[in-house]
Amino acid sequence: MRGRAILVGLALVSVLSSCSVGDERWPICSEIQASILALEAQSVPSATQLPCIAELPIGWRFSGSLVRDDRATLWFDHDRAGIRAVEVILAPECDVSAAVQVPPAPDEVGMRAFQAPESLDPFIGTRYLLFEGGCIEYRYRFAPGTSPALVIEADRALSSVPRAAIVAEVRGDLDLTLCGAGAPECAG
């Protein structure tokens, strides 16, 4: 089984030659494919949710990603809020000790949500979503003079998809097993 897991990694690397800044492959929630979402799943194998793009409103742009062991990072630019106005991080855990728990949004059911506002101008704040096996962190760093209301657009643009959907897609498309949460055949 370990050899098969390594094959999944090699197959995904060959399918996705690079997932770094400037990559055009978007992690779209509605287009679950063996893509950057599969790499996210491998980077944090304990995570049961993976960050993705629900929709990008006018003015927003996916600007790149970096996937490595124990962490996946996505960046979003905005025509007014600036370059890397939002950074999305998938990690095994987050420190929410300086944040306040808030009700989760409708697409965050089953997760615990926390917010840590830091500044209104420029708008700086962090939102944490905790779930079984991991955490998604949204870091907002808007340019000075940008309306903090743009955080509402950013929150609508971003969502998550269950890791199990990606595991099933990799199994169906590539006939490979993506080990980690929800893959009992990889135990041991």
Side-chain angles (χ1 to χ4, degrees), residues 155-188:
D155 284 347
R156 275 197 314 251
L158 303 170
S159 190
S160 66
V161 65
R163 185 182 193 281
I166 304 306
V167 169
E169 192 70 28
V170 168
R171 183 173 289 125
D173 285 357
L174 302 173
D175 193 29
L176 296 171
T177 300
L178 187 59
C179 291
E185 60 272 16
C186 297

Side-chain angles (χ1 to χ4, degrees), residues 39-57:
L39 292 176
E40 286 179 15
Q42 281 196 285
S43 73
V44 184
S46 62
T48 55
Q49 295 287 323
L50 304 171
C52 58
I53 301 169
E55 63 180 66
L56 278 179

Side-chain angles (χ1 to χ4, degrees), residues 81-160:
I83 296 173
R84 293 191 179 179
V86 179
E87 181 177 21
V88 179
I89 300 165
L90 172 67
E93 60 188 4
C94 293
D95 178 8
V96 296
S97 60
V100 175
Q101 190 163 2
V102 296
D107 67 333
E108 299 167 352
V109 172
M111 300 184 212
R112 293 184 359 214
F114 295 82
Q115 289 186 181
E118 296 174 35
S119 168
L120 284 178
D121 192 15
F123 180 76
I124 298 172
T126 306
R127 181 173 178 85
Y128 303 94
L129 300 173
L130 278 59
F131 48 86
E132 185 178 337
C135 172
I136 298 171
E137 180 178 343
Y138 299 140
R139 293 182 182 172
Y140 307 101
R141 307 291 184 265
F142 293 178
T146 304
S147 171
L150 283 175
V151 76
I152 296 168
E153 282 186 11
D155 284 347
R156 275 197 314 251
L158 303 170
S159 190
S160 66

Side-chain angles (χ1 to χ4, degrees), residues 6 13 41 44 63 71 73 78 80 93 122 135 155 175:
I6 291 170
V13 168
V44 184
S63 63
R71 185 183 204 95
T73 306
H78 188 266
R80 287 168 288 156
E93 60 188 4
C135 172
D155 284 347
D175 193 29

